[in-house]
Amino acid sequence: MEKEATKMVNGGVKSKSRKGLPDFLGYVNLRYVKLGYIYLLSLSRSFCYFIPPFLLLFIFVSRFLPILAFPLSILLLLLIYHFLTPSSVFLLDFSCYRPPDHLKITKSDFIELAIKSGNFNESAIELQRKVLHQSGIGEESYMPRVVFKPGHRVNLRDGREEAAMVIFGAIDELLAATKINVKHIKILVLNCGVLNTTPSLSAMVINHYKLRHNTESYNLGGMGCSAGIIAIDLAKDLLNAHQGSYALVVSTEIVSFTWYSGNDVALIPPNCFFRMGAAAVMLSSRRIDRWRSKYQLMQLVRTHKGMEDTSYKSMELREDRDGKQGLYISRDVIEVGRHALKANITTLGRLEPSFEHICLLSSGKKVLDEIQKDLKLTDENMEASRQTLERFGNTSSSSIWYELAYLEHKEKIKRGDRVWQIGFGSGFKCNSVVWKALRNINSPRHNNPWNL
């Protein structure tokens, strides 16, 4: 990385920013202006309805009961501040699903099942053995066994069953931890890159939990491993538009739908990285929830390189000559990711220069090695990402939440600490979000996948 890249200084990641004011026109998206305008109008309307009768009461009381004038004026100022100051977005809690033990798979089991499936020739088997050896994944990640069935082809039934398992599992744990009634959830945002069904996965969640009829539901597809941060961004905007609401964000990828059962060497490597998993996150724009929330959202920066052909074509879902679909990842993807990350942190460095903890998408050992070298990060900085890769593999967009869960399990997060989550995805995209811890985070007793 060049000089603009961040580096660790005194326990935080510092960014060298240019002198002078930031180029706001280059980094502020017009949609924020539109949302802000709408929000301001709604606040002004509410404010106008409320203030006239209060002013009449204030004048009356001030004239006849002067002793109440001062406390009433203080109350008026507090109300003005409440109505004209937008609420922050708080993260109450989150949960990461841990599949049952019978779905654990060792590297040797993986190769043995791949051989027995009869779907791969000898060259394909040897390639998978090599990639697994270099992947950084350990012996306890989770895989659906259905993909190893002889003659297996991707189908909706298997995809839906896996989706129901991981998504409902994560949400159940989150609802148990937050004690929030599902009828109070106003916003639902779900992201899954490859499996996009009709009805949508978000509709599946609404049906299963019987959410209210006016729930604002969104289903994001085809946006890759960085879609989890995009989902947070969308939820943030919706929470700002609907003050005092709860938003449920669910991030996952369905392994049985990304699995490739052919012998095209360009499509085989992703089989060795992706593993089962899902994360559910509860966000709130209710000021009163600050006191029971874990984190406050501080910054979110999204970088898209899709205008460049090399970036756009670096990751894609394609079919081989036999019609079997698989994920293609080009050899340029690390260099593409390097440029996207540089652009992202250059923007973020103008807004948020220091972090105590980093959660890099656990995509693979080689990628983590390159990022650590480029950003001059310590082994401690990389601990959460590497441990998550070894224990759970690449769970796509939910990986950064397994990493945050690891930091909580180790009780590393203290009040005031800032956590930087970074995701990469097809397109090509690099997105990052910064959270501030509102209290010391003790190891959760229940909804943490790292608990034994």
Side-chain angles (χ1 to χ4, degrees), residues 74-95:
I74 296 297
L75 178 60
L76 177 61
L77 291 175
L78 290 174
L79 287 171
I80 292 174
Y81 174 81
H82 175 82
F83 277 97
L84 295 184
T85 305
S87 174
S88 300
V89 172
F90 303 107
L91 193 163
L92 272 70
D93 210 339
F94 67 97
S95 292

Side-chain angles (χ1 to χ4, degrees), residues 274-415:
F274 288 109
R275 296 292 187 270
M276 297 175 68
V281 182
M282 190 69 73
L283 302 177
S284 172
S285 58
R286 293 160 44 101
R287 288 181 175 86
I288 195 172
D289 282 331
R290 177 187 180 90
W291 310 109
R292 65 174 182 140
S293 296
K294 287 184 173 181
Y295 305 96
Q296 178 180 347
L297 196 157
M298 303 304 294
Q299 301 292 347
L300 195 151
V301 176
R302 292 169 55 183
T303 302
H304 208 302
K305 289 289 187 176
M307 69 294 297
E308 301 170 0
D309 289 343
T310 302
S311 297
Y312 176 72
K313 298 177 181 179
S314 62
M315 299 176 65
E316 64 180 4
L317 188 67
R318 60 170 62 170
E319 294 180 345
D320 65 12
R321 55 188 175 187
D322 295 322
K324 296 179 179 180
Q325 76 171 27
L327 289 171
Y328 166 76
I329 301 178
S330 77
R331 295 181 178 179
D332 300 322
V333 71
I334 291 182
E335 190 62 27
V336 164
R338 179 178 283 115
H339 289 296
L341 177 59
K342 175 184 175 182
N344 188 271
I345 62 179
T346 299
T347 304
L348 183 64
R350 301 166 184 260
L351 306 171
E352 197 72 43
S354 180
F355 319 94
E356 283 71 39
H357 310 283
I358 303 177
C359 298
L360 287 160
L361 179 74
S362 299
S363 52
K365 182 178 182 300
K366 185 175 182 181
V367 173
L368 293 180
D369 289 344
E370 290 296 321
I371 294 177
Q372 180 175 8
K373 181 177 66 175
D374 287 344
L375 299 185
K376 299 179 174 61
L377 302 177
T378 67
D379 290 339
E380 183 180 1
N381 302 143
M382 302 295 295
E383 182 179 338
S385 300
R386 293 194 186 279
Q387 290 295 323
T388 298
L389 178 63
E390 179 181 358
R391 176 63 180 84
F392 293 98
N394 182 349
T395 61
S396 190
S397 57
S398 63
S399 286
I400 55 176
W401 296 106
Y402 286 84
E403 294 164 21
L404 184 55
Y406 174 85
L407 294 173
E408 290 190 353
H409 176 67
K410 293 295 184 179
E411 299 188 350
K412 291 177 176 286
I413 298 180
K414 307 303 178 184
R415 182 178 180 180

Side-chain angles (χ1 to χ4, degrees), residues 107-118:
K107 296 175 186 176
S108 59
D109 288 341
F110 186 105
I111 295 300
E112 181 180 350
L113 289 170
I115 293 173
K116 289 181 178 179
S117 72

Side-chain angles (χ1 to χ4, degrees), residues 266-277:
L267 304 180
I268 288 176
N271 280 1
C272 305
F273 290 102
F274 288 109
R275 296 292 187 270
M276 297 175 68

Side-chain angles (χ1 to χ4, degrees), residues 233-253:
D233 191 23
L234 176 57
K236 170 181 68 72
D237 289 345
L238 292 167
L239 284 171
N240 286 333
H242 300 278
Q243 288 290 308
S245 301
Y246 289 115
L248 173 61
V249 178
V250 183
S251 297
T252 190
E253 191 59 81

Side-chain angles (χ1 to χ4, degrees), residues 189-193 196 218-223 227 230-231 234:
V189 183
L190 187 149
N191 67 271
C192 180
N196 290 286
Y218 298 85
N219 198 99
L220 307 181
M223 306 193 79
I230 298 173
L234 176 57

Side-chain angles (χ1 to χ4, degrees), residues 142-153:
Y142 302 90
M143 285 282 295
R145 294 301 191 269
V146 67
V147 299
F148 295 106
K149 286 186 176 180
H152 169 78
R153 294 184 73 91

